[in-house]
Amino acid sequence: MSTENLPQSPEQPARKPRVAVVFGGRSSEHGISMVTAGAVLTAIDRTKYDVLPIGITREGRWVLTADEPERMAIADRRTPEVADLAEEHEGGVVLPVDPTNREVVYSEPGSVPKALGEVDVVFPVLHGPYGEDGTLQGLLELSGVPYVGSGVLASAVGQDKEYMKRILASYGLKVGPYLVIRPREWARDESAARKRIVDFAGEHGWPLFVKPARAGSSIGITKVDGLAGLDEAIAEAQRHDPKILIEAAVRGREIECGVLEFEDGPRASVPAEIPPPDAHAYYDFEAKYIDSTPGVVPAPLTEEQTAEVRRLAVEAFEATSCEGLVRADFFLTEDGEFVINEINTMPGFTPISMYPQMWQATGVSYPELIDRLVRAALRRPTGLR
Ligand SMILES: Nc1ncnc2c1ncn2[C@@H]1O[C@H](COP(=O)(O)OP(=O)(O)O)[C@@H](O)[C@H]1O
Ligand SMILES: [Mg+2]
């Protein structure tokens, strides 16, 4: 009898959990996702976890990529591309939609699929549509593979600025005034929709923020100072999402807070302040990633304000049924009130990003953060929870 199939003795360590780090993707945040994945691949504890890097091209094809995080950094003010790191160009990686089989395969037209081994947990380092919005999470649910971060509903809510605001407000968090213009309304009667926006401006004043409902990294957002810029701002937002939001400008300091799931539940980090960048009209894409506006950690707040924003951040996490992590972004108005701007279920996650920086200041290092997220995912039961 062969000894190969005997149960492992208790002294023998079980094989390391296999983490598939998935990055890139179809959203406009493809490049930033790659930069983040590079940092995760660098920092993840390889003595504890086996790692399988999987890139998703801009077209949505899953490919095996080189495990070379140094090639995943911003160079010459340009972000990297999955296509440049793909190891094979013909086939694709497939995660079977079969909860009894966690074996990932590489399949190429005309040849026998190659088994790539089992995956125990997926770390979707993806931002925006088809990654952070619940769609990928749905696929992972069907596949029965645990994954880092929020589930289907929380991810979808976190991606959609309309439903995010509705849910947060229904749980008593304060949100700023906003208007939603859906594609059908716009298609039916543009001028009536435009009049609704102008009336909204009459009530709340200019400037307005015109945003795609489901984007991120400030992409497609315009701060509009008056009627003259309105049409172009609407068109720009609609280029990214047929549903758009019009928001009144909230005057206040920008304060962010991280929430992380510990064994005993979610805890909030020390908050950070994003000072208004001088070279940019607001905290836009360039300010965030290219010129990397530094945040102030911890935010210079009173003890009461700090406690308040931490409490609100955990409330936002709970209100939207988040899992693993969330970054909750607030404005602190002149009246001393915290108005929630948004939540991010997969916030910027490079070591210099605000979320890891806030946890660093709270005593959780970047590698520990990754470890905690993976462990939280492995702990979580699959299915309804
Ligand atoms: N209603 C608003 N009032 C004031 N500033 C805003 C408002 N909405 C957005 N901003 C500014 O624009 C930035 C990006 O907007 P946000 O809604 O956070 O979009 P994203 O999801 O792309 O990060 C914010 O960090 C803030 O600086
Ligand atoms: Mg934001």
Side-chain angles (χ1 to χ4, degrees):
M1 179 185 151
S2 140
T3 54
E4 268 169 32
N5 297 328
L6 287 178
Q8 292 184 333
S9 70
E11 306 84 61
Q12 222 176 348
R15 74 173 173 82
K16 291 188 264 185
R18 190 117 182 276
V19 184
V21 177
V22 180
F23 53 87
R26 292 163 64 182
S27 88
S28 49
E29 292 165 281
H30 179 99
I32 290 305
S33 159
M34 279 201 79
V35 174
T36 305
V40 170
L41 290 171
T42 303
I44 193 165
D45 184 350
R46 307 238 179 188
T47 66
K48 207 169 159 184
Y49 301 111
D50 266 339
V51 178
L52 179 70
I54 298 176
I56 303 179
T57 66
R58 285 192 186 266
E59 294 74 41
R61 202 156 57 88
W62 291 38
V63 293
L64 282 184
T65 59
D67 195 353
E68 290 169 26
E70 62 286 354
R71 289 173 60 198
M72 297 165 75
I74 292 183
D76 301 329
R77 299 173 78 89
R78 284 196 48 230
T79 55
E81 290 286 318
V82 163
D84 296 337
L85 261 89
E87 290 197 319
E88 331 212 19
H89 295 277
E90 297 300 312
V93 175
V94 181
L95 180 65
V97 179
D98 174 359
T100 65
N101 173 13
R102 288 183 179 178
E103 187 97 23
V104 176
V105 293
Y106 173 77
S107 114
E108 211 170 287
S111 52
V112 180
K114 222 187 312 173
L116 299 175
E118 284 194 357
V119 164
D120 299 296
V121 58
V122 170
F123 195 148
V125 184
L126 292 158
H127 305 293
Y130 311 113
E132 188 183 355
D133 65 348
T135 51
L136 178 85
Q137 288 71 17
L139 171 75
L140 298 173
E141 289 291 339
L142 290 173
S143 298
V145 180
Y147 52 95
V148 168
S150 286
V152 174
L153 180 77
S155 299
V157 167
Q159 187 63 27
D160 186 311
K161 288 183 163 67
E162 176 193 4
Y163 291 106
M164 181 198 306
K165 283 181 199 293
R166 288 189 188 281
I167 290 175
L168 293 171
S170 75
Y171 278 89
L173 285 110
K174 188 155 169 50
V175 303
Y178 68 98
L179 200 65
V180 180
I181 307 284
R182 292 168 194 276
R184 261 202 295 276
E185 176 184 0
W186 188 253
R188 202 162 44 228
D189 190 345
E190 268 183 38
S191 62
R194 200 177 288 105
K195 181 172 182 309
R196 230 158 54 85
I197 301 174
V198 174
D199 290 348
F200 179 84
E203 191 181 336
H204 300 284
W206 301 90
L208 298 179
F209 282 81
V210 180
K211 309 180 177 181
R214 295 156 292 192
S217 291
S218 304
I219 289 165
I221 299 183
T222 312
K223 181 181 180 185
V224 187
D225 292 317
L227 218 47
L230 186 60
D231 282 350
E232 178 43 34
I234 294 171
E236 170 61 10
Q238 285 172 338
R239 270 195 278 279
H240 298 273
D241 190 334
K243 178 166 88 167
I244 64 169
L245 255 73
I246 315 294
E247 293 183 15
V250 179
R251 266 164 269 273
R253 296 162 64 189
E254 285 195 59
I255 308 291
E256 307 188 337
C257 190
V259 179
L260 174 64
E261 190 182 324
F262 283 68
E263 287 79 359
D264 59 354
R267 295 190 204 168
S269 70
V270 298
E273 174 161 18
I274 311 298
D278 8 283
H280 300 275
Y282 60 98
Y283 194 32
D284 64 6
F285 185 82
E286 288 250 323
K288 274 179 188 168
Y289 299 111
I290 309 292
D291 297 338
S292 57
T293 312
V296 181
V297 194
L301 299 172
T302 67
E303 232 172 86
E304 291 73 31
Q305 286 170 331
T306 298
E308 165 89 343
V309 76
R310 293 177 87 161
R311 184 180 64 75
L312 292 172
V314 172
E315 267 183 34
F317 182 98
E318 299 283 24
T320 46
S321 300
C322 282
E323 290 169 294
L325 76 167
V326 84
R327 196 191 72 219
D329 300 349
F330 300 85
F331 298 108
L332 175 57
T333 67
E334 273 164 18
D335 315 334
E337 204 171 22
F338 284 104
V339 173
I340 192 157
N341 176 38
E342 65 161 342
I343 57 166
N344 288 282
T345 52
M346 187 44 74
F349 201 81
T350 67
I352 62 155
S353 300
M354 293 319 300
Y355 184 85
Q357 286 289 312
M358 289 189 284
W359 278 109
Q360 182 73 50
T362 316
V364 180
S365 70
Y366 191 64
E368 184 187 340
L369 195 53
I370 292 168
D371 187 47
R372 283 199 171 278
L373 288 171
V374 173
R375 278 194 285 140
L378 287 169
R379 235 183 2 250
R380 197 173 301 142
T382 50
L384 285 183
R385 46 189 185 264

